[in-house]
Amino acid sequence: MYTCTINKIELSFDDRGTGPVLLLVHGFPLDYTMWQVQIDALSARYRVIAPDLRGFGQSGVSHGVVTMKQLADDLAALLDYLSIREPIVLCGLSMGGYIALEFWHNFASRLRGLILCDTRAANDSPEAAANRSTLAQRVLSEGVHGIADTMIPKLFSQCTLQNNPSFIDATRQVIEHTKPHGIASAALGMAQRTDFTAELPRIECPTLVIVGQFDAISPASEMQQMAQAIPNAQFTIVNNAGHMTPLEQPDAVNAAIEEFLQRI
Ligand code: MLT
């Protein structure tokens, strides 16, 4: 892992391989390790960069609200730090996808392609936003205990929950090591995020939309509509996966990403 200081925060990131840049952005409340199999496989042909976002993993933590715009600005600053000027492919899962859409909105010329994985274009309903606020308060007053138990059943398919205890344990470890302010700040930022639904027809770069068949957080039907609204998008459903598709079915996800990267 490498570290750099950008936008007044220390950011930790992996940077492996050479070739066209693929930037992988993790979901909430996780860290870059969710992409380990993608990093190992895809760095044979591509330069794969996978940061721990502000507030997560080994990176520094901000207090208050951390917006998706702030997190997108951090990605742009990381690319600047690495002197990467050529357009890149940005792949985000769930919260990483919210950040990817925000990055597109602000830095479209820096994108050669987008990969939107188990994510949504819509913003939170008032009820969902209120739940995030409750979560933030709870985490700050009681700590992160209990968050993993609440989240894990929503993140994985039944099949993974029953057959892959090592994935579940690893994810639990990551969540339980996340700092309360990291979780609270990003939860409050997600509650304020922009609704990009009406903007999707303006995305010009080639886009790959990937979703797990049993995703309970960003359902396949909603992601299919998202793909249909993006002019140059390809839609892929991955069987026997829930929300954590890259972790649950890495071979299928790697094949879809490789095929996309070779085509664009
Ligand atoms: C994620 O996986 O990043 C979260 O489920 C996103 C969310 O809570 O909306």
Side-chain angles (χ1 to χ4, degrees), residues 103-126:
F103 188 97
W104 163 77
H105 184 70
N106 292 280
F107 308 106
S109 65
R110 298 190 81 157
L111 285 178
R112 192 166 70 87
L114 257 184
I115 304 175
L116 300 171
C117 207
D118 300 273
T119 191
R120 312 180 63 204
N123 59 355
D124 278 0
S125 65

Side-chain angles (χ1 to χ4, degrees), residues 27-28 93-96 98 132 151 155 190 193 217 243:
F28 169 93
L93 176 125
S94 199
M95 180 178 76
Y98 310 155
R132 302 238 201 236
M151 290 217 62
L155 294 178
M190 285 193 286
R193 73 185 187 277
I217 296 175
H243 188 61

Side-chain angles (χ1 to χ4, degrees), residues 28-29 55-56 61-64 135-145 147 175-188:
F28 169 93
F56 296 93
V61 180
S62 302
H63 293 201
L135 171 80
Q137 283 165 23
R138 197 179 112 207
V139 160
L140 291 179
S141 59
E142 296 169 22
V144 300
H145 311 290
I147 302 291
I175 295 174
E176 289 180 350
H177 282 95
T178 305
K179 300 191 183 61
H181 275 288
I183 293 183
S185 303
L188 295 173

Side-chain angles (χ1 to χ4, degrees), residues 112-114 200-209 226-235 260 263-264:
R112 192 166 70 87
L114 257 184
L200 298 176
R202 293 183 45 240
I203 297 179
E204 287 177 353
C205 63
T207 302
L208 173 63
V209 176
M226 187 197 295
Q228 282 165 350
I230 300 173
N232 189 3
Q234 176 193 330
F235 178 62
F260 176 72
R263 183 168 56 78
I264 65 172

